[in-house]
Amino acid sequence: MPALPSSTATFSAADDPWIDVRTGRQYDQVGLRALFLNAHHIDDLALPLPPAASALLRIAIAITARITGLDDPELTASQWNALRRSRLEDGRFNPDAVHAYFDQHVWDVFDLVRPWLQTPSLRTECDHSTGINAFVPGRPAGNNLAWFSPHGHHTAEPVPTAEALQILLVHHYYGRAGMGTPRTMKRTTSGKQTSGPLRSSVSFHPLGRTLHETLLAGVPAFTGDDQPPGADACPWEEAAPSDPQTLLHGPVAWPGRQLTGLSRHAILLVPGHDGTTVTDAYLTWATQQPKPITTDPYLAYRIIPERKNAARRRTLHRADASRAWWRDLETLLLAPDEHGTHCRPAIFDTLNDLPESVRRSLRIRVHGFDQDGKAVDRQWYTAITPPLLNWTQEHDPVKAQRIAECCREAEQVAQRLAMVAKQAWDAATHSRTTQPSWAKRALTRYWPKAETVFWRLLKEPDAEAPAAFADAAAAALREITEAARIRHTVAARAVAHAVQDLYRRPATPRKAA
């Protein structure tokens, strides 16, 4: 077991630099305190790991609510909106409020009693550490082969503490499920851990002209049941670490626990001698209790009415690294509909009340982490939309419906393209493989063309969307089959029939008399 950290190992999440930020073309690292004191000068976060950036935004927004008074559940909707407008007009966060908040709590990452966002009891509850290689994404650990990394079981290189903190956030919010390091509590030992609250999700965050605008625009409004003042707390605000065996009843408290207190993983970092590096880590389960039912304000959801279990009818809009962000515009722009199959992120319901100058310039930052439900991490990604709030159904219903129409038509043509490409492949090769090469390659060519068509159609409201997307699909199919069509007549004939099918509209079933 690693030795207890020495008293000289310190690193303050509030005052030591670990958060990458961008101002114009200049990049820098700051701590949480400086992040808020200089938020009106900072353009945006610049963390290299999108899931860490998405996690940090939730933490920073919870702190924003604290230092601005927007965490008061007693405020009416009009009072809350007026207070947020006032805080935006201030142009910066109040320095006295910032210092008062950060001076009130413990932020030392290696504190022996309350290390920030960690569980110090793991030193005695785990009979061995997890290892730094298992903690750092991308490093081989255990018996895994080191194909693309110089790290191995005997080459456990320390990690800079600034980087380790960002990785810590990824585990808390997107951590894996399955078997982990065993933890013993009350004579019960288990290594079973469940997935993090954001695993395999894609988040949509309002992005202002400065970080000050971004954080204030991102504060979710209180929409739950009555919540007594002082009932909500972030992990670092609690007097003592929460009991992992305690079953939490009732709705998830807003905004602290909703944004920062739903981690399923317990972590403890082991520092180097001076606190600038992390040499080892414990990573295990934080609770064995069922996941609470809550609505994350930055996630979109799908409604599956066919499911009998009401609790399972709503599911996350899952991250997909191969899916361009514009394909989700229908979900983001249409107002909530009780009969709809998609729910846009709840944060969009508060953006219409922002000052006009802020609302018109507001963009959306997309942070996605393409993962399976348990342990496989595929790819993370990020994107920034143009200002699009003026396209929402509340402000421009005609534009919103046009966007929805184009998104749906693009998806329907993609489905037809996959079908006719498979049929053409079968006809040309007399093959019945389950994954025809033409279908996959055709879709890969189609989507970039479809995006060009999509933006053109928004400028041409009278243009026919079905024909335009069919043109893009036909061009994609012809491009990937060019060599086969030149060499084989049967392939040329099969592709010609497939192109004709792309332009045929599916028959609309007649209504019963």
Side-chain angles (χ1 to χ4, degrees):
M1 180 182 301
L4 291 177
S6 66
S7 59
T8 60
T10 62
F11 189 99
S12 172
D15 297 312
D16 286 319
W18 65 280
I19 301 169
D20 299 275
V21 296
R22 178 183 62 81
T23 302
R25 296 183 178 181
Q26 180 178 344
Y27 291 81
D28 199 2
Q29 275 195 335
V30 298
L32 281 168
R33 190 193 302 262
L35 188 77
F36 282 88
L37 292 174
N38 301 304
H40 54 296
H41 294 309
I42 297 172
D43 291 342
D44 195 9
L45 299 177
L47 275 66
L49 310 180
S54 184
L56 180 62
L57 276 171
R58 287 169 168 83
I59 290 172
I61 286 169
I63 297 174
T64 298
R66 297 286 193 251
I67 64 179
T68 58
L70 289 169
D71 63 339
D72 185 355
E74 299 297 318
L75 294 175
T76 66
S78 59
Q79 290 172 333
W80 189 88
N81 283 320
L83 179 59
R84 183 168 65 165
R85 281 175 171 265
S86 173
R87 297 295 185 251
L88 282 165
E89 292 169 359
D90 291 341
R92 62 174 299 175
F93 293 116
N94 185 315
D96 292 337
V98 172
H99 287 302
Y101 182 81
F102 284 100
D103 290 344
Q104 185 180 0
H105 304 292
V106 177
W107 303 92
D108 190 352
V109 177
F110 303 125
D111 187 84
L112 295 178
V113 180
R114 292 304 305 275
W116 189 64
L117 289 182
Q118 296 165 75
T119 308
S121 60
L122 298 186
R123 297 189 191 98
T124 57
E125 293 169 350
C126 298
D127 60 8
H128 62 84
S129 64
T130 306
I132 192 65
N133 287 347
F135 174 75
V136 179
R139 285 191 183 183
N143 294 324
N144 293 326
L145 296 176
W147 291 110
F148 304 109
S149 172
H151 302 283
H153 182 68
H154 300 291
T155 58
E157 293 294 327
V159 180
T161 302
E163 180 183 344
L165 273 178
Q166 297 183 25
I167 296 172
L168 176 88
L169 300 185
V170 176
H171 284 296
H172 274 312
Y173 284 84
Y174 297 85
R176 57 177 291 175
M179 296 305 296
T181 300
R183 180 184 186 185
T184 301
M185 292 196 65
K186 299 179 181 179
R187 299 181 181 179
T188 300
T189 301
S190 175
K192 184 180 179 181
Q193 54 192 19
T194 52
S195 59
L198 299 184
R199 186 166 185 88
S200 72
S201 69
V202 53
S203 297
F204 301 92
H205 298 274
L207 178 62
R209 293 165 294 188
T210 66
L211 185 62
H212 176 254
E213 286 188 357
T214 295
L215 295 179
L216 284 169
V219 177
F222 179 62
T223 57
D225 300 325
D226 292 338
Q227 178 173 293
D232 177 57
C234 299
W236 57 88
E237 297 171 342
E238 297 175 345
S242 58
D243 183 356
Q245 302 289 7
T246 301
L247 180 62
L248 296 164
H249 298 278
V252 173
W254 163 92
R257 182 161 183 264
Q258 181 188 53
L259 298 181
T260 69
L262 298 178
S263 176
R264 311 293 296 179
H265 293 73
I267 305 171
L268 181 63
L269 304 179
V270 179
H273 71 281
D274 60 354
T276 61
T277 62
V278 171
T279 60
D280 202 351
Y282 296 82
L283 177 59
T284 184
W285 55 272
T287 178
Q288 299 286 355
Q289 300 300 329
K291 291 183 178 181
I293 298 176
T294 185
T295 299
D296 186 288
Y298 315 105
L299 301 185
Y301 294 87
R302 291 181 58 233
I303 307 299
I304 307 176
E306 296 81 12
R307 291 182 175 176
K308 295 181 179 180
N309 187 341
R312 297 183 65 249
R313 287 175 187 165
R314 191 185 71 165
T315 183
L316 285 176
H317 182 80
R318 297 177 69 88
D320 183 351
S322 66
R323 183 181 177 88
W325 67 267
W326 64 270
R327 295 168 62 183
D328 295 319
L329 274 175
E330 176 188 3
T331 300
L332 299 180
L333 299 180
L334 294 186
D337 181 355
E338 62 180 9
H339 302 295
T341 58
H342 293 81
C343 294
R344 71 183 182 185
I347 194 64
F348 277 67
D349 298 336
T350 71
L351 302 181
N352 292 322
D353 297 308
L354 291 169
E356 180 72 8
S357 61
V358 176
R359 184 179 60 79
R360 293 183 65 87
S361 62
L362 208 64
R363 297 168 292 168
I364 302 299
R365 165 75 77 177
V366 183
H367 285 311
F369 198 174
D370 192 337
Q371 306 167 289
D372 74 353
K374 292 186 177 181
V376 178
D377 298 339
R378 300 188 184 97
Q379 184 178 340
W380 51 55
Y381 58 94
T382 189
I384 299 178
T385 75
L388 51 75
L389 291 186
N390 286 335
W391 300 345
T392 59
Q393 190 169 3
E394 296 92 330
H395 288 278
D396 192 339
V398 174
K399 187 83 164 185
Q401 289 299 328
R402 175 63 168 174
I403 290 172
E405 173 198 359
C406 292
C407 287
R408 293 168 190 162
E409 193 60 44
E411 297 290 343
Q412 291 174 4
V413 170
Q415 294 175 5
R416 290 207 302 276
L417 175 60
M419 180 183 66
V420 301
K422 179 184 184 305
Q423 293 172 346
W425 170 266
D426 292 344
T429 64
H430 304 289
S431 171
R432 295 296 183 269
T433 57
T434 57
Q435 294 183 334
S437 59
W438 282 358
K440 185 176 181 179
R441 290 169 56 203
L443 287 173
T444 300
R445 290 289 185 94
Y446 165 73
W447 282 117
K449 297 178 183 297
E451 181 172 3
T452 301
V453 170
F454 173 82
W455 294 113
R456 176 171 59 82
L457 289 173
L458 296 190
K459 298 177 181 178
E460 301 172 3
D462 296 328
E464 289 291 333
F469 285 113
D471 288 343
L477 183 58
R478 290 191 181 103
E479 287 178 10
I480 63 103
T481 60
E482 182 178 7
R485 289 186 290 112
I486 292 173
R487 294 189 181 96
H488 307 288
T489 303
V490 65
R493 187 180 300 114
V495 171
H497 286 304
V499 169
Q500 291 177 354
D501 290 339
L502 282 172
Y503 289 93
R504 292 195 181 102
R505 299 291 297 166
T508 303
R510 294 183 179 180
K511 296 182 179 180

